[in-house]
Amino acid sequence: LERWRWMSHEIAPPLIVVNIPEFRLHSLDEEYHQVLSMKVVVGKAYRHKTPVFVSSLSFVIFRPYWNVPISIQLAELLPDIKKDPSYLAEHDYEVVDSAGNVVSEGPVSSEIMEQLGTGSLAIRQRPGLKNSLGLIKFEFPNQFSVYMHGTPATVLFSKSRRDFSHGCIRVEDPVALAAWVLHDKPEWDVERIRAAMDGEETIRVNLKKSIDVLIVYTTAVATEEGEVHFFNDIYGYDAALERALRKDYPYPR
């Protein structure tokens, strides 16, 4: 209840709500009725927590590139490249400069390796079935560089606890979510969405009206059917808040 008290009152339906400890996404229509509900994978409890925030979704990208964050480039990809110089080519990665120009698509030379280590060159993954973002990306501006996307690693959705990402949110059914998000553009039906996913081009589709996105952390949820569900405090936020509330009223009486 204390955490809900902090929530912005300026949001309006339709809405997309991602509840981190529930590992689920819910879409709500103009009457606040649930239309979609699907599993999600969120950030790891250690070092890669998905942040809590509010933003607005205004466009969808089909067949996106993945621009690898510098932290992943240095900590995870460079060690793999050192072991196997052809690692990038095998996983559909390419080396680009600051302007996005492709520098290398094949084996990585020692000179390129050095520039990757300093961050003067970057790594991105080409669109396709191997792409870590899957074939659809849902982007909304925020200071954390967090977004929603599909994934080729669908096996993780079978897990009961699904905190495996670096902070971004992987959605179980990106086609259904894209169809709901683009419902005000009837030409973008499921058939066209699948055609865009299977195509050759990267396509950006702007929404006619942006949709608010709430990333929340709620360990108790009451459903429309009158049921209450409780979820584990995976990030320890409830425990920290409880300790703070035990210290009595935080403002001068």
Side-chain angles (χ1 to χ4, degrees), residues 59-66 124-128 131 134-137 139 188 195-205:
F59 62 92
V60 178
I61 299 177
F62 296 100
R63 299 186 66 83
Y65 281 88
W66 179 40
R124 73 180 181 189
Q125 193 173 31
R126 292 187 293 274
N131 191 286
L135 296 171
I136 308 181
K137 178 182 179 184
E139 195 155 343
W188 279 96
M197 294 168 63
D198 296 334
E200 298 295 330
E201 300 179 34
T202 297
I203 302 174
R204 168 175 165 157
V205 182

Side-chain angles (χ1 to χ4, degrees), residues 6-15 32 54-56 212 214:
W6 304 342
M7 186 63 64
S8 169
H9 295 284
E10 298 176 359
I11 56 176
L15 298 170
Y32 289 99
V54 177
S55 186
S56 294
D212 284 339
L214 281 69

Side-chain angles (χ1 to χ4, degrees), residues 80-143:
D80 289 329
I81 299 169
K82 289 177 181 177
K83 296 176 185 176
D84 179 8
S86 63
Y87 179 86
L88 293 185
E90 292 172 357
H91 293 82
D92 287 350
Y93 289 105
E94 55 192 18
V95 179
V96 296
D97 61 19
S98 58
N101 300 311
V102 177
V103 175
S104 174
E105 296 177 308
V108 177
S109 66
S110 57
E111 180 182 359
I112 290 177
M113 178 67 79
E114 182 178 349
Q115 294 180 74
L116 288 172
T118 61
S120 57
L121 290 178
I123 296 172
R124 73 180 181 189
Q125 193 173 31
R126 292 187 293 274
L129 296 177
K130 294 181 181 180
N131 191 286
S132 296
L133 306 187
L135 296 171
I136 308 181
K137 178 182 179 184
F138 305 86
E139 195 155 343
F140 34 92
N142 61 86
Q143 68 191 78

Side-chain angles (χ1 to χ4, degrees), residues 119-169:
S120 57
L121 290 178
I123 296 172
R124 73 180 181 189
Q125 193 173 31
R126 292 187 293 274
L129 296 177
K130 294 181 181 180
N131 191 286
S132 296
L133 306 187
L135 296 171
I136 308 181
K137 178 182 179 184
F138 305 86
E139 195 155 343
F140 34 92
N142 61 86
Q143 68 191 78
F144 311 104
S145 298
V146 165
Y147 44 82
M148 298 183 297
H149 60 87
T151 175
T154 55
V155 67
L156 295 179
F157 293 113
S158 64
K159 306 288 186 181
S160 58
R161 175 165 174 161
R162 295 185 293 276
D163 54 324
F164 297 105
S165 81
H166 286 82
C168 286
I169 300 157

Side-chain angles (χ1 to χ4, degrees), residues 39-88:
K39 297 176 182 178
V40 297
V41 172
V42 299
K44 298 175 185 176
Y46 301 99
R47 296 170 49 191
H48 298 295
K49 297 181 178 69
T50 295
V52 174
F53 65 96
V54 177
S55 186
S56 294
L57 173 66
S58 57
F59 62 92
V60 178
I61 299 177
F62 296 100
R63 299 186 66 83
Y65 281 88
W66 179 40
N67 296 302
V68 179
I70 186 64
S71 58
I72 298 178
Q73 176 174 310
L74 297 179
E76 299 181 28
L77 293 190
L78 286 189
D80 289 329
I81 299 169
K82 289 177 181 177
K83 296 176 185 176
D84 179 8
S86 63
Y87 179 86
L88 293 185

